Amino acid sequence: MRRFLFPLGLFFSLVCLLGAGLRLNPQEIPSPLIGKPAPAFALAQLALPDKTFGPQDMQGQVWLLNVWASWCTACRQEHPLLLELAGRNQVSIVGMDYMDARADGAKWLEKHGNPYRLSILDSDGKVGIDYGVYGVPETFVIDKRGVIRLKLAGPVTAEIIEKKLLPLIKELNRA
Amino acid sequence: MRSLLLCLMLAAAPALAEPTLEQHVTRLSEQLRCLVCQNQTIADSHAQLAVELKNQVREQLAAGASDQEVLDYMVQRYGDFVLYRPPVKPSTWLLWFGPLAMLLAGLGLLFVKVRQRQAQGDALDPAGETHAA
C-alpha cells in the first residue's frame, strides 16, 4: 500500500496545479502600465472637435479613463453603472471613444446618457495601443500625479465599484 | 520533379536575398500574440486590434526600427504576454525548465527504484550472486 502513496500524492498535486490553472482567467492580462505615468496624448474631444484633451489636463485630480465604443455590446452593460457612479460626484470619468466614428459615438451618448465629464475620440486606436487596450470596455484609475494605479478589463460591475474602485479612489484622494 | 524544385528555388531566390518590408512585417508579426484571439499570432489574426498592431509594426520597421525595438514597444504596452515565445527570466523558469526537471526527477526515481529492486533481488536469490559475479 505504501508504495502507491508517493505516486498518488504526485498525481493529486498535479491535479491541483492544473485545476488552479483552469480557474485563472486568461482574458485578464496584467498591465505593465500599473505604477507608470499615463501615456501622454492630445486627442480631439468628441463633442468639441476643435478642442483637445490630454492626461495633463487632469493633473492634481483622481480620475477614471473609461475606454468605450458605440459598437461595443459590453459597454451597454456597464453604462448604467457608470451613469450612477458619475451621479455620486466622487470621481471624474473621462471617456475614450475607441475606433469609432464621431457621429456614432455622439449618437450613442445621446441615446444612452452621458456619464463622462468629456469624451475624446481615438478613431484609429493609436492611443488605445499606447494604453495597451485590447478590448472594450477597459477602465484605468489615474491618480493625482498622473500615475496609472489600476486597470480593469471588461465591464465594471456593481461589486467592482463598491469593493475595488470606490475604496481606491478614496485612498488616492487622501494622498 | 527535381528540376521543378530547382526552378521554384531559383524563382524564390531573389525574394530570399532581398526580403521585402511586407515579409519582414509578417516574420515579426508571427512572434506577437493577438490579445483578442489569444491562440493566434497577429500575423494570423484578422481581429481589428491585430490589424492595427500589424500597421504599427509596419510603420516602425519602415521608419527604421530594429526587430528588438518593435518587440520592446509591444512589451511596454501589453507585457510579456504579447510575446509568443515567453522570455527566460526568474518568473518563467518553471515554464521553461519545469518539464526537464520533471523528466530528470522521474529518471532519477526510476534509477533508484531499479537499483533497490536489484539489491533486493540479489539478497533474496542466492543464484543472483553468480550472475553478478
Side-chain angles (χ1 to χ4, degrees), chain A residues 62 64 85 88 90-91 141 149-150 152 157-175:
Chain A
V62 179
L64 302 185
L85 180 63
R88 296 200 210 181
Q90 292 190 358
V91 67
V141 181
R149 301 301 287 261
L150 180 71
L152 299 167
T157 61
E159 198 189 346
I160 291 176
I161 290 181
E162 291 302 330
K163 294 203 171 135
K164 241 180 173 171
L165 271 184
L166 288 176
L168 178 64
I169 289 165
K170 220 180 220 173
E171 185 199 318
L172 293 177
N173 267 323
R174 255 185 273 129

Side-chain angles (χ1 to χ4, degrees), chain A residues 26 32 99 126 129-130 132-133, chain B residues 36 38 48 52 56 77-79:
Chain A
M99 290 200 192
K126 279 232 169 68
I129 290 178
D130 270 343
V133 170
Chain B
V36 184
Q38 302 181 348
Q48 182 146 25
E52 273 314 310
Q56 275 296 321
R77 283 155 183 77
Y78 294 100

Side-chain angles (χ1 to χ4, degrees), chain B residues 122 126-133:
Chain B
D122 288 350
E129 274 179 54
T130 54
H131 283 296

